[in-house]
């Protein structure tokens, strides 16, 4: 699945994550800010990379600002951003 345009999903509210996707990068890259980065940063990145791989998304910059979101929330926000990035409407 190829992203056609930048997209975003989520909020800056507590227990949520704001995700922005930018197509056109050499490889999938993650820029993560999180209030729990030291404890869960690697897990958050794993959820993001696994979800990108599942949807076949490549060559994308992922900027994520996490406010303590659970894995299921991270995945849901990322899937929404992916669908918005491939939608032509």
């Amino acid at each position: 699945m190829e992203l056609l345009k930048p997209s975003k999903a989520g909020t800056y509210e507590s227990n949520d994550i704001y995700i922005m996707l930018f197509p056109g990068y050499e490889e999938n890259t993650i820029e993560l800010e999180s209030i729990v980065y030291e404890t869960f940063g690697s897990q958050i990145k794993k959820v993001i990379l696994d979800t990108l791989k599942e949807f076949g998304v490549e060559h994308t910059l992922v900027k994520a600002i996490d406010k303590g979101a659970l894995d299921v929330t991270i995945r849901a926000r990322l899937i929404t951003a992916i669908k918005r990035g491939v939608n032509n409407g």
Side-chain angles (χ1 to χ4, degrees):
M1 185 175 293
E2 181 180 350
L3 289 180
L4 302 174
K5 60 185 179 183
S7 60
K8 58 188 175 184
T11 70
Y12 295 110
E13 299 292 323
S14 181
N15 300 320
D16 203 348
I17 187 168
Y18 188 77
I19 292 181
M20 297 166 280
L21 301 179
F22 300 92
Y25 280 73
E26 190 169 318
E27 60 185 19
N28 285 339
T29 304
I30 299 172
E31 292 181 7
L32 173 64
E33 292 178 32
S34 175
I35 60 173
V36 292
Y37 187 87
E38 288 188 24
T39 306
F40 296 108
S42 61
Q43 176 62 24
I44 294 168
K45 288 181 178 181
K46 182 181 183 314
V47 170
I48 291 171
L49 287 173
D50 288 350
T51 304
L52 291 175
K53 185 176 180 181
E54 178 183 335
F55 282 82
V57 175
E58 298 177 333
H59 312 291
T60 300
L61 170 64
V62 179
K63 289 188 176 183
I65 302 170
D66 174 57
K67 299 294 183 180
L70 298 174
D71 288 359
V72 67
T73 304
I74 297 166
R75 183 173 155 73
R77 298 304 188 205
L78 183 55
I79 291 170
T80 300
I82 290 169
K83 289 182 176 181
R84 288 176 177 167
V86 298
N87 186 354
N88 289 327

